[in-house]
């Protein structure tokens, strides 16, 4: 089955404006021509893409699937155009990385510096996102590589690679009752108010899940973005915290804190890389994965499902 970009762009415009008329106007098409194109593509696919309602149109399940592929296609075309144009400026590739704060603070800087030195022609951009947002950015094509912490729901069309392991440490004020210990378990931390990262961060989600499993309440007193802010609030006596070990050790030299070992089995976290699952990765992405020596993580077994792949003209 063959599609043209005009029709695909029209479907996306209708989905985003929730109106055939507005979608046609955005794509500079006459309403009659837009309606005919939409009717033709629905007939060829054998499914309805939109439910017509009094206040506009709503995507059907089939429509959602097509729009997801159209957005992925747009991202690929944009990446293609950007990468090819950069050759004219002497740049041999552009690597867009989205990563969670822990990876940026602990592991990525040295690896990015080494990669940049080995591949000076590849331009790197880095965005700080939560782990769930990282996976969404890779799935949507806004990032080429994502660095995240499981467990997160793996978006369809992605594959993962093992990257680094990192430990968690407990952080308490220097004069705190727990400061006399060398290490603590999670149950001991839950007896105190918590200074944490925002809802949606992988560390907050992990703490919340383990508190619920043990029948305890995660008593979060304050949530802030940024490890420095967490450290300052802990130093001020507003609570205790869990932080990545490398971050905690560094902040201990800047603030009046005590860093304790954390004895839970889940204190060891894994950073993983996520990339789009495609037969041939872009050159910059493949070189980055090779440079990190990041082995692929086998995907969970699932029954195959038939799918139709659109062909462009």
């Amino acid at each position: 089955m063959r599609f043209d970009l005009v029709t695909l762009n029209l479907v996306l415009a209708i989905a985003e404006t929730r109106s055939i008329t507005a979608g046609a106007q955005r794509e500079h098409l006459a309403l009659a021509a837009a309606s005919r194109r939409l009717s033709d593509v629905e007939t060829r696919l054998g499914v309805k893409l939109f439910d017509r309602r009094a206040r506009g149109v709503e995507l059907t399940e089939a429509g959602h699937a097509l729009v997801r592929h159209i957005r992925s296609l747009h991202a690929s075309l944009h990446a293609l155009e950007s990468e090819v144009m950069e050759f004219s400026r002497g740049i041999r590739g552009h690597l867009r990385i989205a990563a969670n704060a822990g990876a940026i603070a602990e592991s990525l800087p040295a690896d990015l510096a080494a990669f940049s030195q080995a591949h000076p022609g590849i331009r790197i951009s880095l965005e700080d996102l939560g782990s769930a947002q990282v996976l969404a950015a890779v799935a949507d094509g806004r990032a080429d590589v994502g660095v995240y912490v499981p467990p997160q729901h793996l978006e369809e069309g992605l594959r993962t690679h093992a990257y680094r392991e990192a430990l968690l440490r407990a952080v308490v004020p220097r004069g705190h009752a727990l400061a006399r210990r060398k290490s603590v378990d999670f149950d001991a931390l839950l007896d105190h108010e918590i200074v944490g990262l925002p809802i949606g961060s992988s560390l907050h989600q992990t703490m919340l899940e383990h508190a619920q499993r043990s029948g305890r309440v995660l008593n979060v007193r304050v949530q802030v973005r940024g490890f420095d802010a967490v450290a300052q609030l802990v130093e001020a006596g507003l609570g205790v915290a869990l932080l990545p070990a490398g971050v905690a050790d560094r902040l201990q030299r800047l603030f009046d804190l005590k860093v304790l070992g954390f004895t839970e089995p889940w204190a060891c976290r894994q950073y993983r890389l996520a990339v789009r699952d495609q037969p041939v990765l872009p050159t910059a992405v493949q070189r980055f994965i090779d440079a990190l020596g990041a082995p692929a993580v086998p995907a969970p077994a699932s029954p195959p499902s038939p799918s139709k792949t659109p062909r462009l003209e």
Side-chain angles (χ1 to χ4, degrees):
M1 181 172 291
R2 305 170 71 182
F3 294 101
D4 62 88
L5 285 173
V6 174
T7 300
L8 294 180
N9 289 338
L10 173 64
V11 171
L12 182 60
I14 294 171
E16 291 178 346
T17 62
R18 299 176 64 182
S19 164
I20 297 175
T21 301
Q25 290 173 346
R26 196 174 91 174
E27 295 305 308
H28 308 290
L29 293 171
L31 179 58
S35 297
R36 186 167 58 252
R37 281 180 176 272
L38 180 58
S39 177
D40 287 347
V41 75
E42 287 182 325
T43 299
R44 289 160 63 189
L45 288 170
V47 294
K48 287 179 61 179
L49 298 176
F50 296 94
D51 286 325
R52 278 70 169 173
R53 304 187 187 280
R55 296 185 177 181
V57 296
E58 296 285 346
L59 282 168
T60 64
E61 288 299 317
H64 278 291
L66 182 58
V67 165
R68 185 173 64 250
H69 285 292
I70 293 171
R71 285 178 172 148
S72 177
L73 173 63
H74 275 195
S76 295
L77 291 173
H78 176 73
L80 181 153
E81 180 182 19
S82 298
E83 186 168 346
V84 171
M85 288 181 65
E86 285 175 345
F87 278 93
S88 67
R89 302 196 298 271
I91 297 173
R92 299 185 184 89
H94 181 191
L95 185 63
R96 301 167 301 161
I97 301 174
N100 77 330
I104 293 173
E106 286 198 297
S107 305
L108 271 178
D111 287 333
L112 290 180
F115 182 78
S116 293
Q117 187 173 8
H119 303 279
I122 296 178
R123 183 161 63 90
I124 297 173
S125 58
L126 176 63
E127 185 175 8
D128 180 357
L129 298 173
S131 286
Q133 295 171 312
V134 165
L135 293 176
V138 178
D140 292 345
R142 291 178 283 117
D144 303 306
V145 180
V147 187
Y148 72 102
V149 175
Q152 298 290 334
H153 171 69
L154 194 63
E155 299 275 348
E156 182 182 352
L158 300 185
R159 72 169 184 255
T160 63
H161 295 255
Y163 175 41
R164 294 279 187 270
E165 288 189 350
L167 295 175
L168 292 174
R169 295 277 190 258
V171 179
V172 302
R174 180 69 63 177
H176 195 272
L178 294 176
R180 295 189 297 270
R181 303 188 186 185
K182 291 185 177 180
S183 61
V184 293
D185 59 16
F186 192 43
D187 202 52
L189 287 184
L190 290 176
D191 291 334
H192 303 274
E193 293 181 316
I194 302 293
V195 177
L197 296 173
I199 294 173
S201 68
S202 60
L203 186 51
H204 172 81
Q205 189 63 29
T206 298
M207 293 172 68
L208 182 61
E209 290 175 0
H210 284 281
Q212 291 173 341
R213 288 177 190 173
S214 61
R216 300 289 303 275
V217 174
L218 185 66
N219 186 12
V220 179
R221 184 174 185 180
V222 60
Q223 291 174 293
V224 291
R225 281 194 65 86
F227 297 127
D228 284 13
V230 170
Q232 291 181 65
L233 292 170
V234 171
E235 180 187 48
L238 293 179
V240 300
L242 282 180
L243 291 176
V247 175
D249 291 341
R250 185 165 65 249
L251 292 175
Q252 185 177 216
R253 298 193 291 269
L254 301 174
F255 301 99
D256 194 18
L257 305 172
K258 179 71 180 297
V259 176
L260 311 176
F262 188 56
T263 59
E264 300 293 336
W266 50 274
C268 182
R269 304 203 303 168
Q270 292 185 341
Y271 293 122
R272 289 188 177 178
L273 305 180
V275 298
R276 291 175 62 197
D277 189 7
Q278 47 193 324
V280 179
L281 290 174
T283 302
V285 176
Q286 188 62 62
R287 287 182 179 178
F288 185 64
I289 292 173
D290 292 343
L292 297 182
V297 176
S302 59
S305 58
S307 61
K308 297 179 180 179
T309 303
R311 192 173 55 161
L312 297 179
E313 61 178 358

